[in-house]
Amino acid sequence: MTSRAAAYALLVGNFLIGMSVVAPAGMVGPLSADLGVSVTSAALLLTFGAVVLCIGSPLAAWGGAAMDRRLLLSLSLAGLALSHVASALAPSLGGLMAVRIVGMALAAVYTPQAAGAIAMIVPEKERAGAISFIFAGWSLAAAAGLPIAAWFASEHGWRGVHWGLAAIGLVAAAGVALSVPSGLRGAAMSLKSWGALFSNKLILVLLSATILSSCGQFVVFPFFGPLLGDLAGATPPQIAIAFAMFGIAGLIGNIAASRIVGTLGGVRTSLFFFAVMTIGAALWSAAVGSIEFVFAASLVWGAGFMASNSMQQARLAGAAPALAAAAIALNSSSLYIGQAIGSALGGVMFDAGLHRAMGWAATAALLLAFATVWWSGRLGRGA
């Protein structure tokens, strides 16, 4: 019962983290209108947040490994909840940006340490399933939370989204404090451990694939709503539906990947979902002038993006089992590096009026990611 309660609490915490990271993507339009700034300026919330997460995730894995997980996790969630209160009250984009930087520093602590905590709570034979379960919080954030946030922000204002996330954060912090056992501590990471990871060729190739795929996603993702409004004449409810289709397909794809990986193996499963993601981006780019076709393309694109990252994490853990938590933290950093590069490139293209070309730039980056995953399979390890 204790492990089940802890797993649900940690899942809710990951839902909050996922929402905190991606929610601005659904709110750039309302934010820019309300604060009197450009869409590109509002999208910088994602870019700067990604930079903080990129740096903070491995630092948190290093510095927090030996700390009590219950205290560390509950404090990070409570602090993140308070950052959403401050965000809801922010008078300007500058104030909102400052609060987000603090909030993302707190968010960087959570996900790797939550995975480590649940691994110490459940029996060894249940660890893989338990870690997958708590990571479903991210999938739920994309499948349900982001479309709801996008719709709510367009209809009732972006500040209300932050009030809602603050409430979820306080509930999650209380749940973790009450359900996660005290005294859970991991082994401290040494510089030698990090050196072993960075000297592993397979890990470096896999991290490169993560950077490229995340870059491709975020050329478009922060500007998803404005692009559909401009190129397809989409209404706010239609934009929310497109987000929902993307997220729901991602959740289904993630579940499918967990079912077929035992048969196909990690490399083939990863290649399949990277291919699906790339094809979906190409279809989206070709169909972006028609909202009906965008719905269908979003389903294909979404079906690949969560599953591909799950496979990346599984293969990284397999490449260095003794350093799995640190390898996953590096994968998180790679995701955020890609987000920062992609959103910055997307901002330049958006301001230059290259709206239709943005989808093709995303497709090109995803195609390179697919090629990199294929190369990683040729190394003959981590299957």
Side-chain angles (χ1 to χ4, degrees), residues 1-12 73 110 114-127 129-131 133-134 175-176 178-182 184:
M1 181 63 70
T2 300
S3 62
R4 181 177 298 180
Y8 277 103
L10 293 170
L11 180 149
V12 175
L73 293 170
Y110 186 84
I118 197 65
M120 287 186 274
I121 293 171
V122 302
E124 183 176 356
K125 64 180 182 180
E126 299 177 14
R127 284 177 186 169
I131 291 173
F133 178 80
I134 67 167
V176 168
L178 293 172
S179 63
V180 174
S182 63
L184 298 178

Side-chain angles (χ1 to χ4, degrees), residues 46-378:
L46 285 157
T47 304
F48 284 98
V51 171
V52 174
L53 286 161
C54 166
I55 298 169
S57 188
L59 287 178
W62 189 2
M67 294 180 63
D68 182 273
R69 297 295 170 88
R70 181 172 71 176
L71 179 63
L72 183 64
L73 293 170
S74 57
L75 286 179
S76 69
L77 291 173
L80 186 56
L82 292 177
S83 79
H84 282 295
V85 172
S87 295
L89 299 172
S92 65
L93 181 63
L96 188 59
M97 185 72 74
V99 172
R100 180 163 173 81
I101 288 172
V102 174
M104 290 300 95
L106 293 166
V109 173
Y110 186 84
T111 297
Q113 302 299 342
I118 197 65
M120 287 186 274
I121 293 171
V122 302
E124 183 176 356
K125 64 180 182 180
E126 299 177 14
R127 284 177 186 169
I131 291 173
S132 297
F133 178 80
I134 67 167
F135 269 105
W138 274 81
S139 300
L140 290 171
L146 182 56
I148 292 172
W151 169 81
F152 190 94
S154 65
E155 297 293 327
H156 305 289
W158 59 273
R159 296 180 190 274
V161 176
H162 284 291
W163 285 117
L165 292 177
I168 293 171
L170 293 175
V171 170
V176 168
L178 293 172
S179 63
V180 174
S182 63
L184 298 178
R185 291 178 170 85
M189 288 288 296
S190 66
L191 289 175
K192 184 178 180 180
S193 299
W194 292 108
L197 289 174
F198 284 109
S199 64
N200 187 316
K201 185 176 181 181
L202 175 59
I203 286 177
L204 294 179
V205 172
L206 289 172
L207 294 177
S208 297
T210 296
I211 291 171
L212 286 166
S213 64
S214 181
C215 176
Q217 299 283 358
F218 275 78
V219 170
V220 167
F221 205 59
F223 310 94
F224 199 83
L227 284 174
L228 293 185
D230 176 50
L231 298 175
T235 64
Q238 288 175 325
I239 292 169
I241 290 170
F243 271 122
M245 288 185 166
F246 193 93
I248 291 169
L251 180 59
I252 294 171
N254 206 29
I255 294 170
S258 69
R259 299 290 178 86
I260 67 175
V261 66
T263 302
L264 295 181
V267 175
R268 290 180 179 177
T269 304
S270 187
L271 282 170
F272 174 78
F273 284 104
F274 269 86
V276 168
M277 181 170 56
T278 305
I279 292 168
L283 291 173
W284 192 95
S285 303
V288 71
S290 167
I291 190 60
E292 291 80 13
F293 285 111
V294 163
F295 289 157
S298 295
L299 286 172
V300 180
W301 190 348
F305 93 104
M306 285 186 191
S308 61
N309 187 51
S310 293
M311 289 301 99
Q312 287 288 95
Q313 292 175 350
R315 294 189 65 206
L316 282 163
L323 300 171
I328 290 173
L330 287 176
N331 189 63
S332 297
S333 286
S334 298
L335 280 170
Y336 302 133
I337 290 172
Q339 286 183 21
I341 296 171
S343 58
L345 175 61
V348 171
M349 296 182 73
F350 191 90
D351 281 348
L354 301 173
H355 295 182
R356 287 190 176 273
M358 290 170 69
W360 294 114
T363 303
L366 292 174
L367 186 60
L368 286 173
F370 173 83
T372 306
V373 172
W374 177 83
W375 179 27
S376 75
R378 302 288 290 178

